[in-house]
Amino acid sequence: MSEQEKIRAAISRQFIESGEKERMMQLLKERLTDAGWNDKLYAYCRGTVNESVKKEILTEIKKFLSENLE
């Protein structure tokens, strides 16, 4: 395993173990519900998410990384 793969695996593990992944999934579901999505639509259109929602989730991921990679 390369050094980059080890770092990626460690970050992924911390992301999951800290509960941050679950928190962000919940945030995404809330934003989609606010935008009028329901479970059927979510399952059908999983790949088409509003750009503002993508940006918000990406910002949260970057925040998590900056706080945990110091």
Side-chain angles (χ1 to χ4, degrees), residues 11-25:
I11 291 170
S12 180
R13 186 174 47 255
Q14 185 174 0
F15 191 62
I16 293 166
E17 289 174 358
S18 70
E20 192 66 13
K21 180 179 180 182
E22 184 62 34
R23 188 188 75 77
M24 285 195 202
M25 289 298 294

Side-chain angles (χ1 to χ4, degrees), residues 15-16 18-34 37 39 42-43 46-47 49 53 56-58 60-61 64:
F15 191 62
I16 293 166
S18 70
E20 192 66 13
K21 180 179 180 182
E22 184 62 34
R23 188 188 75 77
M24 285 195 202
M25 289 298 294
Q26 185 61 37
L27 177 63
L28 176 58
K29 287 180 181 184
E30 287 173 12
R31 293 300 179 264
L32 292 175
T33 300
D34 292 347
W37 287 52
D39 288 338
Y42 178 76
R46 194 174 287 229
V49 177
V53 173
E56 181 179 2
I57 298 299
L58 183 58
E60 291 292 321
I61 291 170
F64 171 81

